[in-house]
Amino acid sequence: MTFKNWAREPLVHFLIAGAILFAFFAWKGEPADPTSREITVTREDQARLALGWEQTMSRSPTDAELDSLIQTWLREEVLYREALRLGLDRDDAVVRKRLANKMDFLATSIAETAKPSDTTLETWLADNPQRFAPDTDYSFDQLYFSEKDAAEAALSQLPEMTEWQGMGEVISLPTTSKMSGSGEIERRFGVIFLERLMALQPDGEWVGPIPSGFGWHVVRLRQRNAGEVPPLADIRERAENDWRAQTLETRREDAYQLLRDAYQVTIEE
Amino acid sequence: MIKKILGVIALLAVVAVGIWWLLLREDPVANAQKAASAEAAVVLTRYPQEVLWGDTHLHTDNSIDAFGFGTRLGPEAALKFARGDEVKATMGMKAQLAHPLDFLVIADHSDGLGATRRLYDAPRMLIQDPTLRKWHDMMHESPEQSQLAIAELITAAAAGTLPAALRDPEASAENTRNIWNAHLATLDKYYEPGKFTPIAGYEWTLMPDGNNLHRVVMYRDGYERTSKTLPFPGIDGKLDALFDYMDAYEESTGGRVLAIPHNSNLSNGLMFEMTQADGGPMTAESARRRALREPVIEATQIKGDSESHPFLSPNDEFAGFGDVGWELGNLPLSAGKDNSMFAGEYLREALKRGLSIEQQTGANPYKFGMIGSTDSHTSLATADEENFFGKHTGNEPREGRALESQNLGTRLGRFGWHYLASGYAAVWARGNTRAEIFDAMMRREVYATTGPRMTVRFFGGFDFAGIDFASDWVESAYAGGVPMGGELTDSGSAPQFIVSALKDPDGAHLDRVQIVKGWVDASGATREKVFDVVWSDEDKRRAIGGKIPGVGDTVDRLTATYTNDIGAAELRTVWIDPEYREGQSAFYYVRVLQIPTPRWPLYDAVKFGFDLTEEALKGSVAQERAYTSPIWIGPAAKATTGA
């Protein structure tokens, strides 16, 4: 097992997280110990509170404002410790849910921040090409007619015409499109037109009429270039987002299964 | 002893993990740099050639009310949905846009950013405030109770009685910082310059006595600059404080920021006052500041349309779209509305007031452009009637939503069908980048639609004689005039306007194009007139008593379908103001009307198989529309630039 694979193992995450917690308490002497009634608001704590203020208000807090920030923080800390002393964290549905959420978070936190390697993402691209292949590009000419009859009449004359551009009716649509992506065509001509265009042969022959939301079109498809998955370097960000979203989902489930398998569960009838 | 050894080992482990994490974790600054270089690589066209579609007003689960209403989708899902991906809505339905959007401003409330979520997650016994504890319990009880809790919360916010813990910006500053920075990093991650542009922003929720003075604040910049600020809280603030904040941001970071007022229709007359907020006369200085900071206004959205009102425009037969239900009072209906308030609420009247104030002070505070946006609280930016996910998660598609009472806190007045599946912002930019979109808004080269994606061009000038709509007319129009949002200097001859409207390729045909003119007459009074400048079937539809006959109605109420047998695919013309008077300050904007189509309640009624009430049925067919930013004309000395 390589280091990378180890790094992906939910069990390793739990062990590391456990170690962190243990180390923290070994070092800090459990500051939230219900029996401890000693609180030191360190200079660092104060600076942190002041900084938070500063970031909102674009100025430093006055002494009075800082004092009030500290008192608010202190109040929360005192009540928090007393609540723990009273055992208010037990038998509370919300605490239970919150802790469960945190466990989920532990399982996924490393995936959330880790940088996947090129190899990982290459594999991801290869396994999910449909998510990354760009639009197919089309080069075509079209003439617009509001009535179908007019379009049919024009179609019968077109093969003999050299000056074809003037034959259609005037509308704000390009007569010639060069290497336009399917997204762009859909945006300009609409869904119905694109569907029909996709089915045409790229043989440069005038065909139609084909419908759109505007009316009728006589079309000649000159070229079609199917989109290929671009190299990873060009779409790394997108591939990574996609990989991460899926991986988080899988992690959470794997981590749960790992723990779940250690339990013997009986659900009484 | 053993404890000590274990402690040391554990400490080492911590350090090792820490280093590992530091080395491998994502770096928002590097992300931002990557975004910046991709942005620099976008090739800009010489003039705006493609209109970009977006929503500047979307809420996610970071919004205090959206979360409470039940939304569990965050910014990532919102971005994926907007760029065209399929996502699973909170209530479990698959959701996808028919056409992707080009940009998105996620505008979560700055007040209590993430607070409801924290309240929901908080251990119950640690919630000291009895009101907060009650809301916490309600949020956990059921979706219905959760919605009720948020309704109470909004009512309390409007009344200024929110518990201190939710109003206290300092107490939550650190949480806000974490949420904000994580959010900014997410935006940069999804930024694909040239293709899809996430924009940083938030909603500033000023609401004195429940009167809606909300603004969306929107940045031009990426992480490097925006992470140096925090969303500015505002429920009990002052407008000038927001402008101070914006000044400070620009000075300290070198970035740019603008604000977009919305739902002036729920402000009970306060959004566009003739005076200063404190009642004193408007000064030129504050008028200039307002115009500079607020170059565009949201004219239409889910909570009603603010373009015009029949009370203010009795001669405009198409005024009043999306007004029903919203004209009863302010946002939480804590105060009713009387007729004298409308003038401070509707955009056409505000544009007129602006001319009037300019005449008195020399500066126009209300020289704004118009956009539409959703204000959706579901993380889903939907504005299509047949694919509408509602104002909040409680109103995602389900049988009862169209007819239920939908009030915040009360049970009277507003019902589901009053809510609009509206709208989107259309932006004429030279490329799809943050800077280009922002700059287009600053120069007001934008327009609003209630959802359909019509392509609308509007130019003003003095010599468009050569324009015949042959292939390169747009370039000539730019060369010989100003686009929507621009200003003309009065030179003694009547202004000419080129207007061109192409239908939504997958939508309904167009009924007509109108130019709305507002001016100040010789006595100093403001006036308005709506001109029909081009319409479908002009040979058959001739004016009767100065009015063009209606286009007809093909909507089948039983199947929620319509046909494009009436109307036109494209309408365009060059129009010269026949009532021009030299020396008169005026504005002109375009309103494009589609043929009648079903609204979402009718699609719902057919889909779920129930009957609408008579009143709801009447309101379930409408002529959707677009509003462009105005073009102003005035004497040279008074012409000011928005940017």
Side-chain angles (χ1 to χ4, degrees), chain A residues 7 16 23 48 53 55-56 69 88 94 98 113 115 170-172 186-188 190-191 213 237 241, chain B residues 10 17 20-21 24-26 34 50-51 99 102 121-122 125 170 174 177 189 230 503 505-506 570 572:
Chain A
I16 291 170
R48 187 171 45 78
W53 168 284
Q55 285 168 338
T56 317
L69 289 176
L88 295 182
V94 178
R98 184 78 183 128
T113 52
K115 271 256 173 272
V170 177
I171 193 169
S172 301
E186 186 187 306
R187 165 195 283 259
R188 287 195 170 182
V191 176
E237 205 61 52
N241 287 339
Chain B
V17 169
W20 178 42
W21 185 74
L24 293 182
R25 84 197 166 103
E26 274 197 289
K34 231 185 299 172
E50 289 282 350
V51 67
H99 304 284
D102 300 307
D121 285 345
M125 70 280 168
E170 302 94 73
E174 192 177 335
R177 162 63 62 205
K189 228 165 60 175
L230 275 179
K503 66 168 281 195
D506 292 316
E570 182 167 46
R572 48 194 184 182

Side-chain angles (χ1 to χ4, degrees), chain A residues 119-220:
Chain A
T119 328
T120 309
L121 291 182
E122 293 283 9
T123 316
W124 188 252
L125 287 194
D127 291 347
N128 303 283
Q130 75 290 354
R131 298 194 209 208
F132 302 99
D135 292 353
T136 299
D137 288 329
Y138 298 85
S139 296
F140 65 97
D141 302 317
Q142 66 83 28
L143 292 167
Y144 164 76
F145 301 88
S146 51
E147 301 297 331
K148 194 176 183 184
D149 294 351
E152 277 166 351
L155 183 61
S156 62
Q157 297 167 21
L158 267 168
E160 291 99 65
M161 305 293 286
T162 45
E163 294 293 315
W164 58 271
Q165 277 92 343
M167 285 193 65
E169 294 167 30
V170 177
I171 193 169
S172 301
L173 292 171
T175 47
T176 295
S177 301
K178 283 185 189 135
M179 297 299 281
S180 299
S182 44
E184 191 186 327
I185 296 167
E186 186 187 306
R187 165 195 283 259
R188 287 195 170 182
F189 291 89
V191 176
I192 314 164
F193 180 88
L194 176 63
E195 275 173 10
R196 299 292 292 267
L197 184 74
M198 285 162 70
L200 297 185
Q201 290 303 316
D203 54 10
E205 298 293 324
W206 286 105
V207 292
I210 71 172
S212 78
F214 301 106
W216 297 91
H217 305 258
V218 176
V219 182
R220 68 173 172 197

Side-chain angles (χ1 to χ4, degrees), chain B residues 391-424:
Chain B
K391 158 79 179 170
H392 57 73
T393 286
N395 281 343
E396 287 182 15
R398 62 181 175 79
E399 185 174 339
R401 66 173 179 164
L403 296 178
E404 285 167 6
S405 172
Q406 297 289 342
N407 294 301
L408 304 169
T410 74
R411 312 297 305 164
L412 289 167
R414 289 178 192 144
F415 293 89
W417 61 273
H418 289 142
Y419 289 71
L420 307 182
S422 181
Y424 285 134

